[in-house]
Amino acid sequence: MADEEVEKTYRWEGDYEKTWEVLQEDAAGSLQASVDDIIHRAKRRRLQDRQVNVRLGMMRHLFVVVDMSQSMEDQDLKPTRILVTLKLLENFIEEYFDQNPISQIGVITTKNKRAEKLTELGGNPKRHITQLRTLSSASCVGEPSIMNSLDLAAQTLKHMPTHTSREVLIIMGSLTTCDPGDINITMKMVKDLNIRCSVIGLAAEVQVCKKLCSTTNGTYGIILEDTHFKDLLLEHCTPPPATVNTDSSLIKMGFPQHTISQDHNSVKPSMCMCHQDTEAQSFTPSGYFCPQCHAKYCELPVECKICGLTLVSAPHLARSYHHFFPLENFREVPLEELDTELSRFCTGCQAQLNGPVVYCCTRCSQPFCIDCDLFIHETLHSCPGCINRRIGPNSS
């Protein structure tokens, strides 16, 4: 593995490439066809890069480490790196819980050679987003510490069940890290704890980050601009492949319904378990009551603090189901091969198909445009044509 990395050369060390030759003029002298083809291939690549027949972890525990060092005040991303990062993280957290409804996330900040936990692991996206917004007025000073951030994350993640995935995502704007000890020991520690570490760099490639990702089987990406930054973040919404050390076991879960107080004789307000240790304490008569110990919670999913039972709702499990049985990629078909004029319209948006190729479902053979193809595979996870024809997922 190490020998292969040594043999790789940097882009500027390779042969001279005439990159402008990719753009070809059409008969009318326009470059629009070449530009459309580049955009088309970029959209399609997101589906082609998706791994199939790989065991994924449905329950995830992810810590996002946000660099709050002085380098995050740079303005190569407008208005500043930190403001762009916080805005994209808000969208990422909402998408993360939409794709992984029974998973949890936490936020850690690092600056001045220290690491602090902004939010604990939890399944409430509103709480994380509210705390993230407070960072927009915080100062970015000093240097970050990857070692202290990993140690802080590992203190919580090492207690997570072995059937769940443990992950750390570092958003790094600095080219340096100031650590109190040997970071190689910390890398070995997180690897032994089965913690997968990934890094998104905002400046340039850093060797210590590259080594951390390769050691823990994570991914390392360097952004080109804010749109590419968003794409790299959203790649982490999909569950990573489960490691060999991940156990497969049955999980005991509770499915509480939102009800009024358990005391049927009289409705009495009570405090929920999730807000006992916070300033936002409130007494309400309704909530989710654990079916095992009757502890009250105001939102799902959550792990009961009294009996340890995982409390979820049935829709949460249903929304996680598509990760195990993903929709097959549609096959590319040239537009002129479609049978009738009626099939020259997209089944999803009903727009006329004008591209050189269309995408047909492997089951119902209905045609779709590239945008509907992406929407179906990334958001809907079900083919509208199959649903309309009452073709189930196990039908032949």
PDB file of all heavy atoms in Angstrom, residues 255-279:
ATOM      1  N   PHE A 255     -41.323   1.364  20.779  1.00  0.00           N
ATOM      2  CA  PHE A 255     -42.038   2.223  19.838  1.00  0.00           C
ATOM      3  C   PHE A 255     -43.130   2.986  20.587  1.00  0.00           C
ATOM      4  O   PHE A 255     -44.307   2.627  20.524  1.00  0.00           O
ATOM      5  CB  PHE A 255     -42.634   1.390  18.703  1.00  0.00           C
ATOM      6  CG  PHE A 255     -41.606   0.694  17.862  1.00  0.00           C
ATOM      7  CD1 PHE A 255     -41.134  -0.553  18.207  1.00  0.00           C
ATOM      8  CD2 PHE A 255     -41.101   1.305  16.726  1.00  0.00           C
ATOM      9  CE1 PHE A 255     -40.179  -1.195  17.432  1.00  0.00           C
ATOM     10  CE2 PHE A 255     -40.146   0.678  15.946  1.00  0.00           C
ATOM     11  CZ  PHE A 255     -39.683  -0.581  16.311  1.00  0.00           C
ATOM     12  N   PRO A 256     -42.744   4.036  21.322  1.00  0.00           N
ATOM     13  CA  PRO A 256     -43.757   4.797  22.072  1.00  0.00           C
ATOM     14  C   PRO A 256     -44.568   5.704  21.158  1.00  0.00           C
ATOM     15  O   PRO A 256     -44.091   6.156  20.114  1.00  0.00           O
ATOM     16  CB  PRO A 256     -42.915   5.624  23.045  1.00  0.00           C
ATOM     17  CG  PRO A 256     -41.615   5.814  22.335  1.00  0.00           C
ATOM     18  CD  PRO A 256     -41.390   4.564  21.519  1.00  0.00           C
ATOM     19  N   GLN A 257     -45.801   5.960  21.545  1.00  0.00           N
ATOM     20  CA  GLN A 257     -46.656   6.896  20.835  1.00  0.00           C
ATOM     21  C   GLN A 257     -46.742   8.198  21.626  1.00  0.00           C
ATOM     22  O   GLN A 257     -46.584   8.211  22.842  1.00  0.00           O
ATOM     23  CB  GLN A 257     -48.053   6.309  20.635  1.00  0.00           C
ATOM     24  CG  GLN A 257     -48.082   5.087  19.733  1.00  0.00           C
ATOM     25  CD  GLN A 257     -49.483   4.551  19.535  1.00  0.00           C
ATOM     26  OE1 GLN A 257     -50.401   4.919  20.248  1.00  0.00           O
ATOM     27  NE2 GLN A 257     -49.647   3.676  18.550  1.00  0.00           N
ATOM     28  N   HIS A 258     -47.006   9.274  20.887  1.00  0.00           N
ATOM     29  CA  HIS A 258     -47.128  10.580  21.546  1.00  0.00           C
ATOM     30  C   HIS A 258     -48.474  10.635  22.266  1.00  0.00           C
ATOM     31  O   HIS A 258     -49.531  10.682  21.634  1.00  0.00           O
ATOM     32  CB  HIS A 258     -47.028  11.704  20.514  1.00  0.00           C
ATOM     33  CG  HIS A 258     -46.833  13.055  21.130  1.00  0.00           C
ATOM     34  ND1 HIS A 258     -47.872  13.868  21.490  1.00  0.00           N
ATOM     35  CD2 HIS A 258     -45.698  13.724  21.460  1.00  0.00           C
ATOM     36  CE1 HIS A 258     -47.410  14.984  22.005  1.00  0.00           C
ATOM     37  NE2 HIS A 258     -46.085  14.927  22.003  1.00  0.00           N
ATOM     38  N   THR A 259     -48.427  10.604  23.579  1.00  0.00           N
ATOM     39  CA  THR A 259     -49.652  10.536  24.381  1.00  0.00           C
ATOM     40  C   THR A 259     -49.626  11.567  25.493  1.00  0.00           C
ATOM     41  O   THR A 259     -48.600  12.199  25.776  1.00  0.00           O
ATOM     42  CB  THR A 259     -49.822   9.133  24.999  1.00  0.00           C
ATOM     43  OG1 THR A 259     -48.645   8.834  25.785  1.00  0.00           O
ATOM     44  CG2 THR A 259     -49.980   8.074  23.923  1.00  0.00           C
ATOM     45  N   ILE A 260     -50.786  11.699  26.141  1.00  0.00           N
ATOM     46  CA  ILE A 260     -50.899  12.540  27.325  1.00  0.00           C
ATOM     47  C   ILE A 260     -50.326  11.762  28.514  1.00  0.00           C
ATOM     48  O   ILE A 260     -49.934  10.604  28.397  1.00  0.00           O
ATOM     49  CB  ILE A 260     -52.379  12.928  27.559  1.00  0.00           C
ATOM     50  CG1 ILE A 260     -52.962  13.534  26.271  1.00  0.00           C
ATOM     51  CG2 ILE A 260     -52.523  13.942  28.679  1.00  0.00           C
ATOM     52  CD1 ILE A 260     -52.255  14.807  25.831  1.00  0.00           C
ATOM     53  N   SER A 261     -50.255  12.396  29.652  1.00  0.00           N
ATOM     54  CA  SER A 261     -49.651  11.807  30.848  1.00  0.00           C
ATOM     55  C   SER A 261     -50.161  10.392  31.108  1.00  0.00           C
ATOM     56  O   SER A 261     -51.316  10.059  30.858  1.00  0.00           O
ATOM     57  CB  SER A 261     -49.941  12.696  32.064  1.00  0.00           C
ATOM     58  OG  SER A 261     -49.456  12.078  33.235  1.00  0.00           O
ATOM     59  N   GLN A 262     -49.275   9.547  31.640  1.00  0.00           N
ATOM     60  CA  GLN A 262     -49.607   8.161  31.931  1.00  0.00           C
ATOM     61  C   GLN A 262     -50.658   8.050  33.042  1.00  0.00           C
ATOM     62  O   GLN A 262     -51.301   7.015  33.195  1.00  0.00           O
ATOM     63  CB  GLN A 262     -48.341   7.403  32.358  1.00  0.00           C
ATOM     64  CG  GLN A 262     -47.320   7.248  31.238  1.00  0.00           C
ATOM     65  CD  GLN A 262     -47.762   6.233  30.209  1.00  0.00           C
ATOM     66  OE1 GLN A 262     -48.082   5.108  30.541  1.00  0.00           O
ATOM     67  NE2 GLN A 262     -47.799   6.643  28.952  1.00  0.00           N
ATOM     68  N   ASP A 263     -50.796   9.113  33.821  1.00  0.00           N
ATOM     69  CA  ASP A 263     -51.805   9.113  34.888  1.00  0.00           C
ATOM     70  C   ASP A 263     -53.173   9.418  34.253  1.00  0.00           C
ATOM     71  O   ASP A 263     -53.474  10.558  33.925  1.00  0.00           O
ATOM     72  CB  ASP A 263     -51.445  10.167  35.944  1.00  0.00           C
ATOM     73  CG  ASP A 263     -52.368  10.081  37.154  1.00  0.00           C
ATOM     74  OD1 ASP A 263     -53.294   9.246  37.126  1.00  0.00           O
ATOM     75  OD2 ASP A 263     -52.156  10.840  38.105  1.00  0.00           O
ATOM     76  N   HIS A 264     -53.973   8.394  34.050  1.00  0.00           N
ATOM     77  CA  HIS A 264     -55.247   8.567  33.350  1.00  0.00           C
ATOM     78  C   HIS A 264     -56.298   9.267  34.211  1.00  0.00           C
ATOM     79  O   HIS A 264     -57.287   9.771  33.694  1.00  0.00           O
ATOM     80  CB  HIS A 264     -55.784   7.199  32.906  1.00  0.00           C
ATOM     81  CG  HIS A 264     -54.864   6.507  31.939  1.00  0.00           C
ATOM     82  ND1 HIS A 264     -54.684   6.935  30.640  1.00  0.00           N
ATOM     83  CD2 HIS A 264     -54.057   5.422  32.114  1.00  0.00           C
ATOM     84  CE1 HIS A 264     -53.821   6.132  30.025  1.00  0.00           C
ATOM     85  NE2 HIS A 264     -53.423   5.216  30.900  1.00  0.00           N
ATOM     86  N   ASN A 265     -56.114   9.264  35.530  1.00  0.00           N
ATOM     87  CA  ASN A 265     -57.098   9.892  36.409  1.00  0.00           C
ATOM     88  C   ASN A 265     -57.059  11.412  36.303  1.00  0.00           C
ATOM     89  O   ASN A 265     -58.086  12.073  36.348  1.00  0.00           O
ATOM     90  CB  ASN A 265     -56.867   9.453  37.853  1.00  0.00           C
ATOM     91  CG  ASN A 265     -57.045   7.950  38.023  1.00  0.00           C
ATOM     92  OD1 ASN A 265     -57.891   7.334  37.365  1.00  0.00           O
ATOM     93  ND2 ASN A 265     -56.250   7.343  38.894  1.00  0.00           N
ATOM     94  N   SER A 266     -55.892  11.938  36.161  1.00  0.00           N
ATOM     95  CA  SER A 266     -55.768  13.393  36.046  1.00  0.00           C
ATOM     96  C   SER A 266     -54.544  13.716  35.208  1.00  0.00           C
ATOM     97  O   SER A 266     -53.499  13.072  35.332  1.00  0.00           O
ATOM     98  CB  SER A 266     -55.615  14.041  37.430  1.00  0.00           C
ATOM     99  OG  SER A 266     -54.448  13.550  38.081  1.00  0.00           O
ATOM    100  N   VAL A 267     -54.690  14.699  34.330  1.00  0.00           N
ATOM    101  CA  VAL A 267     -53.586  15.100  33.465  1.00  0.00           C
ATOM    102  C   VAL A 267     -52.694  16.061  34.236  1.00  0.00           C
ATOM    103  O   VAL A 267     -53.103  17.175  34.561  1.00  0.00           O
ATOM    104  CB  VAL A 267     -54.113  15.761  32.174  1.00  0.00           C
ATOM    105  CG1 VAL A 267     -52.954  16.216  31.308  1.00  0.00           C
ATOM    106  CG2 VAL A 267     -55.016  14.798  31.412  1.00  0.00           C
ATOM    107  N   LYS A 268     -51.457  15.625  34.501  1.00  0.00           N
ATOM    108  CA  LYS A 268     -50.527  16.434  35.278  1.00  0.00           C
ATOM    109  C   LYS A 268     -49.282  16.721  34.444  1.00  0.00           C
ATOM    110  O   LYS A 268     -48.700  15.789  33.885  1.00  0.00           O
ATOM    111  CB  LYS A 268     -50.130  15.720  36.564  1.00  0.00           C
ATOM    112  CG  LYS A 268     -51.299  15.461  37.509  1.00  0.00           C
ATOM    113  CD  LYS A 268     -50.838  14.728  38.744  1.00  0.00           C
ATOM    114  CE  LYS A 268     -52.004  14.467  39.698  1.00  0.00           C
ATOM    115  NZ  LYS A 268     -51.582  13.719  40.898  1.00  0.00           N
ATOM    116  N   PRO A 269     -48.870  17.970  34.371  1.00  0.00           N
ATOM    117  CA  PRO A 269     -47.637  18.292  33.641  1.00  0.00           C
ATOM    118  C   PRO A 269     -46.426  17.648  34.310  1.00  0.00           C
ATOM    119  O   PRO A 269     -46.373  17.503  35.537  1.00  0.00           O
ATOM    120  CB  PRO A 269     -47.561  19.820  33.698  1.00  0.00           C
ATOM    121  CG  PRO A 269     -48.943  20.262  34.028  1.00  0.00           C
ATOM    122  CD  PRO A 269     -49.552  19.182  34.863  1.00  0.00           C
ATOM    123  N   SER A 270     -45.465  17.258  33.504  1.00  0.00           N
ATOM    124  CA  SER A 270     -44.239  16.650  34.023  1.00  0.00           C
ATOM    125  C   SER A 270     -43.065  17.081  33.155  1.00  0.00           C
ATOM    126  O   SER A 270     -43.237  17.566  32.045  1.00  0.00           O
ATOM    127  CB  SER A 270     -44.359  15.119  34.042  1.00  0.00           C
ATOM    128  OG  SER A 270     -44.617  14.625  32.744  1.00  0.00           O
ATOM    129  N   MET A 271     -41.862  16.874  33.682  1.00  0.00           N
ATOM    130  CA  MET A 271     -40.643  17.269  32.976  1.00  0.00           C
ATOM    131  C   MET A 271     -40.087  16.063  32.229  1.00  0.00           C
ATOM    132  O   MET A 271     -40.073  14.949  32.741  1.00  0.00           O
ATOM    133  CB  MET A 271     -39.603  17.790  33.965  1.00  0.00           C
ATOM    134  CG  MET A 271     -38.319  18.282  33.297  1.00  0.00           C
ATOM    135  SD  MET A 271     -37.083  18.770  34.494  1.00  0.00           S
ATOM    136  CE  MET A 271     -37.937  20.117  35.308  1.00  0.00           C
ATOM    137  N   CYS A 272     -39.627  16.286  30.993  1.00  0.00           N
ATOM    138  CA  CYS A 272     -39.050  15.191  30.209  1.00  0.00           C
ATOM    139  C   CYS A 272     -37.613  14.939  30.638  1.00  0.00           C
ATOM    140  O   CYS A 272     -36.943  15.820  31.177  1.00  0.00           O
ATOM    141  CB  CYS A 272     -39.107  15.514  28.714  1.00  0.00           C
ATOM    142  SG  CYS A 272     -38.157  16.954  28.244  1.00  0.00           S
ATOM    143  N   MET A 273     -37.146  13.732  30.386  1.00  0.00           N
ATOM    144  CA  MET A 273     -35.796  13.347  30.786  1.00  0.00           C
ATOM    145  C   MET A 273     -34.727  14.059  29.968  1.00  0.00           C
ATOM    146  O   MET A 273     -33.606  14.266  30.458  1.00  0.00           O
ATOM    147  CB  MET A 273     -35.628  11.830  30.614  1.00  0.00           C
ATOM    148  CG  MET A 273     -36.505  10.990  31.525  1.00  0.00           C
ATOM    149  SD  MET A 273     -36.134  11.235  33.266  1.00  0.00           S
ATOM    150  CE  MET A 273     -34.426  10.697  33.331  1.00  0.00           C
ATOM    151  N   CYS A 274     -35.049  14.457  28.741  1.00  0.00           N
ATOM    152  CA  CYS A 274     -34.020  15.052  27.881  1.00  0.00           C
ATOM    153  C   CYS A 274     -33.710  16.502  28.234  1.00  0.00           C
ATOM    154  O   CYS A 274     -32.715  17.049  27.754  1.00  0.00           O
ATOM    155  CB  CYS A 274     -34.419  14.937  26.407  1.00  0.00           C
ATOM    156  SG  CYS A 274     -36.154  15.240  26.060  1.00  0.00           S
ATOM    157  N   HIS A 275     -34.529  17.171  29.043  1.00  0.00           N
ATOM    158  CA  HIS A 275     -34.280  18.571  29.384  1.00  0.00           C
ATOM    159  C   HIS A 275     -34.040  18.772  30.876  1.00  0.00           C
ATOM    160  O   HIS A 275     -34.055  19.905  31.362  1.00  0.00           O
ATOM    161  CB  HIS A 275     -35.458  19.455  28.934  1.00  0.00           C
ATOM    162  CG  HIS A 275     -35.527  19.662  27.459  1.00  0.00           C
ATOM    163  ND1 HIS A 275     -36.389  18.966  26.652  1.00  0.00           N
ATOM    164  CD2 HIS A 275     -34.817  20.459  26.625  1.00  0.00           C
ATOM    165  CE1 HIS A 275     -36.229  19.344  25.397  1.00  0.00           C
ATOM    166  NE2 HIS A 275     -35.278  20.241  25.356  1.00  0.00           N
ATOM    167  N   GLN A 276     -33.800  17.699  31.597  1.00  0.00           N
ATOM    168  CA  GLN A 276     -33.580  17.844  33.036  1.00  0.00           C
ATOM    169  C   GLN A 276     -32.292  18.588  33.355  1.00  0.00           C
ATOM    170  O   GLN A 276     -32.224  19.331  34.330  1.00  0.00           O
ATOM    171  CB  GLN A 276     -33.549  16.467  33.702  1.00  0.00           C
ATOM    172  CG  GLN A 276     -34.929  15.923  34.046  1.00  0.00           C
ATOM    173  CD  GLN A 276     -34.861  14.721  34.959  1.00  0.00           C
ATOM    174  OE1 GLN A 276     -33.820  14.083  35.071  1.00  0.00           O
ATOM    175  NE2 GLN A 276     -35.957  14.409  35.619  1.00  0.00           N
ATOM    176  N   ASP A 277     -31.254  18.374  32.532  1.00  0.00           N
ATOM    177  CA  ASP A 277     -29.945  18.963  32.820  1.00  0.00           C
ATOM    178  C   ASP A 277     -29.685  20.245  32.040  1.00  0.00           C
ATOM    179  O   ASP A 277     -28.557  20.722  31.994  1.00  0.00           O
ATOM    180  CB  ASP A 277     -28.840  17.946  32.499  1.00  0.00           C
ATOM    181  CG  ASP A 277     -28.996  16.664  33.305  1.00  0.00           C
ATOM    182  OD1 ASP A 277     -29.486  16.750  34.446  1.00  0.00           O
ATOM    183  OD2 ASP A 277     -28.627  15.590  32.786  1.00  0.00           O
ATOM    184  N   THR A 278     -30.704  20.798  31.409  1.00  0.00           N
ATOM    185  CA  THR A 278     -30.528  22.023  30.623  1.00  0.00           C
ATOM    186  C   THR A 278     -31.324  23.164  31.250  1.00  0.00           C
ATOM    187  O   THR A 278     -32.166  22.965  32.132  1.00  0.00           O
ATOM    188  CB  THR A 278     -31.008  21.805  29.172  1.00  0.00           C
ATOM    189  OG1 THR A 278     -32.420  21.528  29.179  1.00  0.00           O
ATOM    190  CG2 THR A 278     -30.268  20.632  28.540  1.00  0.00           C
ATOM    191  N   GLU A 279     -31.042  24.364  30.751  1.00  0.00           N
ATOM    192  CA  GLU A 279     -31.754  25.540  31.254  1.00  0.00           C
ATOM    193  C   GLU A 279     -33.173  25.615  30.708  1.00  0.00           C
ATOM    194  O   GLU A 279     -34.049  26.221  31.315  1.00  0.00           O
ATOM    195  CB  GLU A 279     -30.979  26.807  30.878  1.00  0.00           C
ATOM    196  CG  GLU A 279     -29.592  26.885  31.522  1.00  0.00           C
ATOM    197  CD  GLU A 279     -28.860  28.141  31.114  1.00  0.00           C
ATOM    198  OE1 GLU A 279     -29.423  28.905  30.283  1.00  0.00           O
ATOM    199  OE2 GLU A 279     -27.741  28.371  31.601  1.00  0.00           O
TER     200      GLU A 279
END
